[in-house]
């Protein structure tokens, strides 16, 4: 497998590279089940978590993954730093470079921020995109693929892809970096992708995407009989206009609830990247059902991010069993 330097987009991964990361994540999951959940792999390496946008799961998950690989970890959030005094991304990046960061995990409200950092020359280390605006969130797509593969093919299903599986991505596609990264990775792994949303929440160019588009959730679930349904959060903070009449109306027409669960095959996975708007895009009955993978996704996120860091940073030092 060729050496990746950055992970900016799910499109950076071809089938072999994506399966390679999922397979390493299987080994990391074994480490995470041990008493001592720690590997020396990144000892002496410095990883900076540079978060310009709020995050709970992703930030904690990266931090835990870095610590389990024995990296030195610096958490830098825009609030409480010189960024709130107006320091630019360039000055911040150059400061991190001067401190010797080997990798920067960046979340930013601007689409393209991770690409700017990777190609600016301000920083020599690896850049990992932890979510840039409405653009991409590649580690979320990897952990979602890992979760689907484990649930459907079982743990330790190394080498397998997602061919033959049907995945429906439902809701606020327009504002979702999770949807964009999943679309790319699911296609790379051979799954059939269905996007289901009200016309106002589809991007203008969605008809060019490698997916089937649906404008009616009940019809889509009935016709497609998906193996997994990914519910997207309604991203109110990115909405500067009214995209649907009311929350009640949205949850009635587009929400995953007990009635819709009953339309699905009994073992269909109900996924959500979190944070969930319970009662809006998903009801408690669906979020807490046996079909739900929400907490597995969180747990798998740590293993997958360990695998990504290992892949980008470990070089010849590689020895998972150490
Ligand atoms: C997602 C994100 O931030 O893009 N959440 C996450 O990383 N767990 C999805 C979302 O916020 O809706």
């Amino acid at each position: 497998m060729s050496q990746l330097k950055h992970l900016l987009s799910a499109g950076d991964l071809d089938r072999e590279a994506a399966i390679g990361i999922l397979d390493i994540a299987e080994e990391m999951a074994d480490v995470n089940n041990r008493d001592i959940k720690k590997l020396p792999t990144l000892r002496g390496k410095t990883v900076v978590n540079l978060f310009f946008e709020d995050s709970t799961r992703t930030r904690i998950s990266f931090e835990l993954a870095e610590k389990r690989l024995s990296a030195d970890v610096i958490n830098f959030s825009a609030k409480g730093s010189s960024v709130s005094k107006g320091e630019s991304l360039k000055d911040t990046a150059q400061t991190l470079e001067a401190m010797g960061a080997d990798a920067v995990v960046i979340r930013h409200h601007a689409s393209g921020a991770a690409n700017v950092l990777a190609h600016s020359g301000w920083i020599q280390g690896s850049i990992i995109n932890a979510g840039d605006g409405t653009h991409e969130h590649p580690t979320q797509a990897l952990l979602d693929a890992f979760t689907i593969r484990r649930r459907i093919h079982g743990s330790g299903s190394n080498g397998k892809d997602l061919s033959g599986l049907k995945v429906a991505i439902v809701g606020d596609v327009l504002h979702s970096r999770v949807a964009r990264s999943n679309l790319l990775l699911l296609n790379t792994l051979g799954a059939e992708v269905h996007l289901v949303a009200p016309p106002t929440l589809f991007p203008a160019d969605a008809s060019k995407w490698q997916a089937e588009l649906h404008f009616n959730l009940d019809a889509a679930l009935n016709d497609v009989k998906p193996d997994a349904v990914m519910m997207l959060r309604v991203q109110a903070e990115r909405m500067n206009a009214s995209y649907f009449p009311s929350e009640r109306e949205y949850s009635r027409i587009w929400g995953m609830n007990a009635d819709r669960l009953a339309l699905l095959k009994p073992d269909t996975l109900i996924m959500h990247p979190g944070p969930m708007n319970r009662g809006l895009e998903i009801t408690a009955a669906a979020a807490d059902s046996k079909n739900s993978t929400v907490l597995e996704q969180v747990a798998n996120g740590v293993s997958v991010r360990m695998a990504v860091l290992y892949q980008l940073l470990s070089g010849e030092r590689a020895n998972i069993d150490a």
Side-chain angles (χ1 to χ4, degrees), residues 231 255-256 270-272 276-284 286-287:
M231 301 307 298
M256 180 52 68
I270 303 294
M271 310 180 74
H272 193 300
M276 292 186 278
N277 294 310
R278 281 177 184 257
L280 185 53
E281 70 267 2
I282 192 164
T283 63

Side-chain angles (χ1 to χ4, degrees), residues 53 57-58 107 137 140 177-178 233 235 238 273-275:
E53 217 185 46
R57 267 154 285 266
T58 306
R107 168 165 287 198
H137 192 357
Q140 180 71 43
R177 52 199 179 203
V178 173
R233 183 174 65 86
Q235 310 233 335
R238 298 189 211 278

Side-chain angles (χ1 to χ4, degrees), residues 51 53-59 107 130-134 136-137 139-140 143 172 175-179 231-235 237-238 272-277 281 298 305:
F51 278 66
E53 217 185 46
D54 293 342
S55 169
T56 308
R57 267 154 285 266
T58 306
R59 192 178 55 73
R107 168 165 287 198
D132 62 327
T134 59
E136 282 224 39
H137 192 357
T139 59
Q140 180 71 43
L143 77 87
D172 186 359
H175 300 105
S176 178
R177 52 199 179 203
V178 173
M231 301 307 298
L232 299 172
R233 183 174 65 86
V234 173
Q235 310 233 335
E237 78 279 19
R238 298 189 211 278
H272 193 300
M276 292 186 278
N277 294 310
E281 70 267 2
V298 174
R305 290 178 174 119

Side-chain angles (χ1 to χ4, degrees), residues 8-203:
L8 306 174
S9 159
D12 294 344
L13 305 170
D14 61 15
R15 183 178 176 279
E16 186 195 1
I19 291 177
I21 290 173
L22 301 186
D23 290 355
I24 296 171
E26 281 290 344
E27 301 197 44
M28 295 304 178
D30 289 343
V31 172
N32 287 329
N33 281 329
R34 293 183 195 163
D35 257 2
I36 299 173
K37 304 172 175 39
K38 197 127 177 157
L39 293 174
T41 322
L42 299 188
R43 199 147 55 194
K45 300 265 188 195
T46 302
V47 182
V48 179
N49 299 317
L50 183 57
F51 278 66
F52 292 86
E53 217 185 46
D54 293 342
S55 169
T56 308
R57 267 154 285 266
T58 306
R59 192 178 55 73
I60 294 173
S61 175
F62 266 110
E63 183 173 353
L64 198 54
E66 291 149 7
K67 288 182 168 164
R68 289 198 174 159
L69 293 175
S70 309
D72 293 328
V73 178
I74 297 172
N75 289 313
F76 181 107
S77 73
K79 280 183 202 129
S81 75
S82 293
V83 170
S84 57
K85 298 181 189 159
E87 189 165 26
S88 68
L89 184 58
K90 177 175 179 179
D91 288 326
T92 306
Q94 286 177 327
T95 304
L96 302 178
E97 176 70 5
M99 288 178 184
D102 295 291
V104 176
V105 175
I106 179 174
R107 168 165 287 198
H108 201 283
H109 42 81
S111 298
N115 295 61
V116 168
L117 215 54
H119 300 123
S120 60
W122 304 328
I123 226 163
Q124 299 310 311
S126 292
I127 307 297
I128 300 175
N129 183 4
D132 62 327
T134 59
H135 180 223
E136 282 224 39
H137 192 357
T139 59
Q140 180 71 43
L142 282 163
L143 77 87
D144 289 339
F146 185 73
T147 302
I148 296 173
R149 193 175 82 163
R150 278 205 135 189
R151 269 267 188 137
I152 291 180
H153 295 308
S155 57
S157 45
N158 289 32
K160 286 219 167 94
D161 66 11
L162 305 180
S163 333
L165 299 180
K166 295 178 184 177
V167 181
I169 304 179
V170 181
D172 186 359
V173 177
L174 179 64
H175 300 105
S176 178
R177 52 199 179 203
V178 173
R180 282 171 184 73
S181 287
N182 262 303
L183 174 77
L184 293 169
L185 188 67
L186 288 167
N187 274 307
T188 300
L189 291 173
E192 186 181 297
V193 182
H194 296 263
L195 297 173
V196 192
T200 50
L201 289 176
F202 267 117

